[in-house]
């Protein structure tokens, strides 16, 4: 399919991608970028006012808990992992998406502020993600949980959600669902979509390679804590929703993962957004498909409870 008109207009607005010397980026540059005001914040969705939003800590990991239901009855819990290549992103930046899921999923949302690379390399982010999931099972009353727990993540957050899903299975903890949105699932970067969309489509292959170096330089790409697609056995994983964008370097690895789950007997539903770019889910104010994808994921979560 051709680029969606909104995706085409977005690429025209940001202009041609300049060649970036990623090796010249310093830690100070990274920290400065993190500290800058997010110019796309207005497009990330409304900051819906909720009766309950509270910052807490899960075994040392910062979290923010969102609840749209004003009562105190136990509800299922959605653990949300933001994107940003394991280097960028934050609870604050993911605030609009977390609020949306709290309103529309029927659950309490716990947004995880996992440690970022390069200051905290692999497996710090994966360890933090697993810590939050494990804490929810260990302290259901604290989270007002009724026992249902799902994980949701976008991009690198989708990687963390997928890793946490297999860790939960192996620990004997039952997740009700895993929703993976344009996730990073294979560090090999060898798929046709990586070659086809390596340049000019928001997330160049060179940037993915840089993110991987910041997070997991020297790590075996077959380690399933980095590349969930390399997990030896997929049977018994939580039912899944996999969302992909057509013009995304990460498309093929995510779609391969969805097929692998189905072949292993895992209930899975995959939806590709034709003409869409990586990151569309985070910007529903720019992309109608992003708004649709958020609604779709929230609906899938509601169905899973």
């Amino acid at each position: 399919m051709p680029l969606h008109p909104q995706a085409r207009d977005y690429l025209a607005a940001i202009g041609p991608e300049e060649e970036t010397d990623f090796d010249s980026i310093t830690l100070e540059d990274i920290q400065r970028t993190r500290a800058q005001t997010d110019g796309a914040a207005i497009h990330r969705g409304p900051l819906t006012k909720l009766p309950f939003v509270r910052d807490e800590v899960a075994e040392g990991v910062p979290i923010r808990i969102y609840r749209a239901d004003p009562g105190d009855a136990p509800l299922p819990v959605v653990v949300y992992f933001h994107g940003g290549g394991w280097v960028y992103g934050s609870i604050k930046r993911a605030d609009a998406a977390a609020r949306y899921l709290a309103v529309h999923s029927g659950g309490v949302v716990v947004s995880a502020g996992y440690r970022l690379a390069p200051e905290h390399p692999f497996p710090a982010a994966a360890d933090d993600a697993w810590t939050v999931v494990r804490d929810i099972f260990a302290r259901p009353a604290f989270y007002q949980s009724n026992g249902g727990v799902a994980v949701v993540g976008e991009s690198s957050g989708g990687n963390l959600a997928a890793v946490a899903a297999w860790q939960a299975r192996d620990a004997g903890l039952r997740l009700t669902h895993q929703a993976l949105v344009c996730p990073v699932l294979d560090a090999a970067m060898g798929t046709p979509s990586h070659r086809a969309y390596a340049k000019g489509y928001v997330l160049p292959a060179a940037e993915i390679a840089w993110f991987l170096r910041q997070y997991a330089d020297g790590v075996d790409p077959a380690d399933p804590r980095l590349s969930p697609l390399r997990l030896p056995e997929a049977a018994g994983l939580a039912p899944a929703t996999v969302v992909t964008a057509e013009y995304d370097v990460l498309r093929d690895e995510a779609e391969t993962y969805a097929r692998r789950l189905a072949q292993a007997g895992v209930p899975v539903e995959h939806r590709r957004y034709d003409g869409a770019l990586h990151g569309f889910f985070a910007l529903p104010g720019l992309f109608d498909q992003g708004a649709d994808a958020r609604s779709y994921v929230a609906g899938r979560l509601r169905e899973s409870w």
Side-chain angles (χ1 to χ4, degrees):
M1 295 286 291
L3 276 167
H4 189 282
Q6 290 175 326
R8 186 181 61 242
D9 291 346
Y10 179 74
L11 291 178
I14 64 175
E17 290 180 353
E18 297 181 1
E19 289 291 334
T20 301
D21 180 7
F22 287 102
D23 290 333
S24 71
I25 297 174
T26 66
L27 178 58
E28 290 73 21
D29 293 331
I30 292 170
Q31 293 171 334
R32 189 179 306 113
T33 299
R34 290 177 188 157
Q36 288 173 346
T37 301
D38 182 2
I42 192 173
H43 302 299
R44 293 188 178 276
L47 300 181
T48 307
K49 188 174 181 179
L50 301 177
F52 183 97
V53 178
R54 188 174 73 206
D55 290 326
E56 292 285 356
V57 176
E59 294 187 31
V61 181
I63 58 173
R64 183 171 293 172
I65 304 174
Y66 302 81
R67 183 181 173 114
D69 187 320
D72 57 5
L75 295 173
V77 175
V78 178
V79 191
Y80 183 76
F81 302 110
H82 65 76
W86 305 282
V87 173
Y88 301 114
S90 64
I91 288 174
K92 181 178 179 181
R93 190 173 182 183
D95 199 41
R99 289 172 185 267
Y100 181 92
L101 290 175
V103 171
H104 296 282
S105 72
V108 173
V109 172
V110 176
S111 184
Y114 56 87
R115 288 171 291 173
L116 299 176
E119 301 96 315
H120 304 284
F122 174 90
D127 286 348
D128 286 356
W130 173 230
T131 292
V132 174
V133 171
R134 190 178 61 235
D135 192 59
I136 292 167
F137 279 99
R139 297 192 295 162
F142 177 80
Y143 295 94
Q144 295 180 295
S145 170
N146 66 5
V149 181
V151 293
V152 179
E154 182 192 3
S155 194
S156 56
N159 170 276
L160 300 178
V163 172
W166 70 253
Q167 289 178 309
R169 178 201 63 181
D170 290 358
L173 302 177
R174 179 183 174 274
L175 293 177
T176 62
H177 205 73
Q178 55 175 319
L180 314 177
V181 180
C182 300
V184 186
L185 297 175
D186 189 4
M189 297 181 56
T191 64
S193 61
H194 266 286
R195 294 188 291 272
Y197 309 122
K199 294 183 179 181
Y201 295 96
V202 177
L203 183 66
E207 187 170 15
I208 287 286
W210 180 80
F211 282 139
L212 284 165
R213 289 197 300 274
Q214 303 311 301
Y215 177 52
D217 191 29
V219 176
D220 182 356
D223 188 326
R225 292 177 300 167
L226 178 62
S227 300
L229 188 60
R230 307 300 184 94
L231 189 68
E233 180 54 69
L237 290 173
T241 298
V242 178
V243 173
T244 59
E246 182 181 8
Y247 288 84
D248 182 4
V249 291
L250 304 175
R251 183 196 69 198
D252 289 350
E253 62 202 68
E255 295 183 358
T256 299
Y257 195 65
R259 290 192 294 271
R260 183 158 183 251
L261 292 177
Q263 290 165 359
V266 176
V268 58
E269 189 169 301
H270 163 243
R271 180 173 294 185
R272 178 196 285 189
Y273 282 83
D274 289 332
L277 302 167
H278 185 83
F280 78 105
F281 183 86
L283 299 170
L286 284 177
F287 304 115
D288 293 341
Q289 290 176 310
D292 183 84
R294 283 192 182 181
S295 176
Y296 169 60
V297 168
R300 290 283 290 164
L301 290 168
R302 286 197 310 273
E303 294 169 2
S304 76
W305 303 135

